Amino acid sequence: MIGSTVLGLDVGGSSVKYRLASAGQADGMPDAIAEGVAPALAEELPATLAELARTVSAGHRLAAVAVAIPGLVDEASGTVIRSSNVPALDGRALGPELSALLGVPVSILNDGRAAAVAEARWGAGAGERDVFTLALGTGIAGSHLVDGVIADGAHGSAGELGHVVVEPGGRLCSCGQRGCLETLLGAPALRRAWNAAGGEGSARELLAAYDEDDPRAVPIVRTAAQHLADAVLTLLALVDPGVVVVGGGLASAPHRLVELAAGYVAEQATFHRVPPIVPAELGRWAGAVGTAAEARALAARVVAA
Amino acid sequence: MIGSTVLGLDVGGSSVKYRLASAGQADGMPDAIAEGVAPALAEELPATLAELARTVSAGHRLAAVAVAIPGLVDEASGTVIRSSNVPALDGRALGPELSALLGVPVSILNDGRAAAVAEARWGAGAGERDVFTLALGTGIAGSHLVDGVIADGAHGSAGELGHVVVEPGGRLCSCGQRGCLETLLGAPALRRAWNAAGGEGSARELLAAYDEDDPRAVPIVRTAAQHLADAVLTLLALVDPGVVVVGGGLASAPHRLVELAAGYVAEQATFHRVPPIVPAELGRWAGAVGTAAEARALAARVVAA
C-alpha cells in the first residue's frame, strides 16, 4: 500500500472539501498531499464526484475513497437515506455507484460524525480518551467519543445535546419536544432574539455585537450561554467526558459564547467533575480530515481482507 | 481452580448478604453453592467479616473474596474512603486487612456498582449490550453498562441521573444544585409530599396507597413519575441505552411508579429511540451476585498472573 493514496470528500450544500492523503501512514492525522474546495455539485452527483476524485488524485494511485454527507446515511450499504442540504442524493446508493465509476472501494458517512472523529483524535480532543464534541449551528449536534470511536448508543442516536430540555414547557422544537437547548441556542433562535432586540442580521452579527459589548447583544448572549451551561452540566452528570470540544458555524469565529458558558459551568458545578470546555481546532476542515481517515481505514480493511 | 470457591459479601447497614459460588465456572451468573443473610457487623469489621467468610466457606477451598460496601471505595488499594451506612469502615484498608486474615486475595467494590453489573448481565438487562440501571431509594443512582462493564466516564462519575435538573430553580439538592430529579423523586421528597397531603408513613406507604387508588396518593405519584420520565427522556437523548432497568428500594415492591413513568416516556418521546423500561429482577440479591462475580474474576486474574 506504500505509494497509494486515499481521498476524503466532504460534501456540503455549497461546496465540496477534499483531502488526499497517503494510504500507508499510521494512526496519526492524515497529512494532506492535496487539499482544497471545489464548487457545489448539482446533477448527476456520482458522476461529478467521480470526476472530482479523478482530478484531485491525478498522478497518484488511489486505494479508497470516503464521502461525508450532510444527512442520514446507511454506512453498511453506502446509501444516503436523507440529506437536507443535498437533496439530489436522497435515496441514492452513492457508495456502490461511485465505487463502480472509480474502481476502488468507497465508504459513505455522516459529515458531523467525520468531523467529530477528527476533532477528537487530532483536534482539540487529541490526547484525551473520552471526548464530547458539540457543533453549534442551525441545529446542535453532539458526539461522544471513547478512544476515537463514536459511542453512539444502542440505536445510534446518543449524543443529542441539542435535544436536552433546558426550559420545560418552552418553545416548540423541530423535534416535537418543548424547550430543547436547540430552541434557545440554535442560530434561528439567536437571530430571532437579536432581531427582536433591534439588532440587524443573523446570529453571527449578534455574536460580533456581543464582542463589541453592544448592550442589546449582551443579555441575549449571556442567556444563551447559561442555557448551554445548563445542558453541559446535565452532560457532565450523565456522561462525564474528559473534554468538551465546541465547534460548528456559531462557535468557529466568536469564541466568547463558549468561554462564557464554560465560566458558568465552572461556577455552577457541584459534584460534577468539570472538564476543559474548549473551542474546536480543525474548523471547517474537520470533516475532510475525518473523511480521509475513514478512507485510510477502508484501504487498510481491503488490504487485510 | 476446579473445586475452588469464591465468596461475595454485600455489606449493608443492617445485614451482610453473601453468596458462595464455584470459582471455576464460566461467564454465566455465579450459581449459589450457599447464600444467605448474616446480621449487621459492629466493631472490628475485618475480623468479623473474616469470621463470616470462614463460616460460610467451611468445607470448601476458598480462592478469592470480594466485598461490596455502601459508599465510596478505592478499588485499586482496597480502601473504603467513606461509607455513610457503615461508618466503622471509613478510611480502612479493608481489602489488605481481610486478605491478611483469610490468606486469599480480596477485592473491595461499591455495592451499587456490583448490583448494576449483576442486573445488566444476569438480571433484567441480560442479552442487551447497552444497559442503563437505575436504583431508586433515598438517593437515585445510575450506571451505564456496555458489554457488562460500567462505562463511568473520564472521572468515574457518569450515570448520575439523580442529579439531572428537571425543575430549574427548584428545591435545593444535597449536591448543591436546585431541582435535581433526586429532590423530586428521592424517598425523602416523596415522604414529604405524602405527609403534606395527609398521608402517614414513608414513600413506601405512598406507593402502596397509590396502588389502592388513594386520591391523596395519585397526583403525587403521577407527578413523580412525570419527573422520572423527563429525566429518562434526557437520558435517551444523550446515552441511548438499549434497556433501562429500574431497581432500588422504591421500585422493588410497587412497580406501578415505573410502569407509569415508562408510559409517559412512550407518549412524550419524539426523535428518541425508546427502549424497554423494566423493573430489576435480582432484587436485594443483585449486590451479592455481582460481588460473587467480582470474586470469580479476581480468582481468574490471580491464576492467570
Side-chain angles (χ1 to χ4, degrees), chain A residues 157 163 175 177, chain B residues 232-234 236-237 268-274:
Chain A
S157 72
H163 298 288
C175 85
Q177 294 190 116
Chain B
V232 168
L233 285 167
T234 292
L236 304 190
Q268 295 161 21
T270 62
F271 72 95
H272 315 74
R273 301 293 301 267
V274 180

Side-chain angles (χ1 to χ4, degrees), chain A residues 4-8 19-23 30 61-65 292-293 295-297 299:
Chain A
S4 293
T5 58
V6 294
L7 178 64
R19 173 172 283 220
L20 187 72
S22 161
R61 190 149 55 90
L62 196 60
V65 173
R296 186 177 62 184

Side-chain angles (χ1 to χ4, degrees), chain A residues 70-98:
Chain A
L72 198 61
V73 304
D74 179 49
E75 294 186 6
S77 67
T79 305
V80 178
I81 297 171
R82 192 178 62 248
S83 175
S84 44
N85 288 347
V86 193
L89 286 174
D90 283 12
R92 291 202 71 153
L94 183 62
E97 290 188 45
L98 203 50

Side-chain angles (χ1 to χ4, degrees), chain A:
Chain A
M1 194 55 54
I2 290 173
S4 293
T5 58
V6 294
L7 178 64
L9 298 171
D10 183 15
V11 176
S14 56
S15 67
V16 179
K17 299 187 192 74
Y18 60 84
R19 173 172 283 220
L20 187 72
S22 161
Q25 68 182 1
D27 234 22
M29 181 155 101
D31 293 326
I33 294 172
E35 181 169 73
V37 183
L41 303 166
E43 301 303 306
E44 293 304 323
L45 256 163
T48 49
L49 273 181
E51 183 56 35
L52 175 61
R54 280 193 208 101
T55 306
V56 169
S57 64
H60 296 276
R61 190 149 55 90
L62 196 60
V65 173
V67 185
I69 298 293
L72 198 61
V73 304
D74 179 49
E75 294 186 6
S77 67
T79 305
V80 178
I81 297 171
R82 192 178 62 248
S83 175
S84 44
N85 288 347
V86 193
L89 286 174
D90 283 12
R92 291 202 71 153
L94 183 62
E97 290 188 45
L98 203 50
S99 182
L101 289 169
L102 290 170
V104 299
V106 177
S107 272
I108 307 296
L109 69 167
N110 169 268
D111 62 346
R113 291 170 67 97
V117 166
E119 277 294 346
R121 287 197 194 158
W122 305 298
E128 177 58 54
R129 272 202 66 193
D130 196 308
V131 179
F132 196 91
T133 66
L134 197 53
L136 304 182
T138 304
I140 297 175
S143 293
H144 180 212
L145 296 104
V146 180
D147 292 324
V149 176
I150 296 180
D152 57 3
H155 316 91
S157 72
E160 289 287 0
L161 195 76
H163 298 288
V164 165
V165 172
V166 293
E167 190 174 74
R171 183 182 282 267
L172 188 65
C173 182
S174 63
C175 85
Q177 294 190 116
R178 288 190 172 274
C180 291
L181 179 63
E182 202 164 291
T183 66
L184 295 155
L185 187 63
L190 293 180
R191 185 190 59 230
R192 203 164 41 234
W194 174 231
N195 296 161
E200 299 213 337
S202 69
R204 288 191 152 271
E205 278 72 46
L206 164 68
L207 294 172
Y210 175 81
D211 281 354
E212 289 165 9
D213 298 318
D214 184 322
R216 298 167 305 172
V218 170
I220 297 171
V221 173
R222 282 192 183 152
T223 300
Q226 180 60 60
H227 290 309
L228 176 56
D230 290 342
V232 168
L233 285 166
T234 292
L235 174 72
L236 304 190
L238 284 178
V239 176
D240 182 26
V243 61
V244 177
V245 177
V246 188
L250 268 186
S252 62
H255 287 148
R256 287 180 58 195
L257 173 68
V258 177
E259 286 174 24
L260 201 55
Y264 291 152
V265 169
E267 278 167 36
Q268 295 162 20
T270 61
F271 72 94
H272 315 73
R273 302 292 300 268
V274 180
I277 299 172
V278 297
E281 287 177 3
L282 301 180
R284 66 193 195 114
W285 290 103
V289 170
T291 310
E294 170 59 24
R296 186 177 62 184
L298 175 61
R301 284 199 300 276
V302 170
V303 169

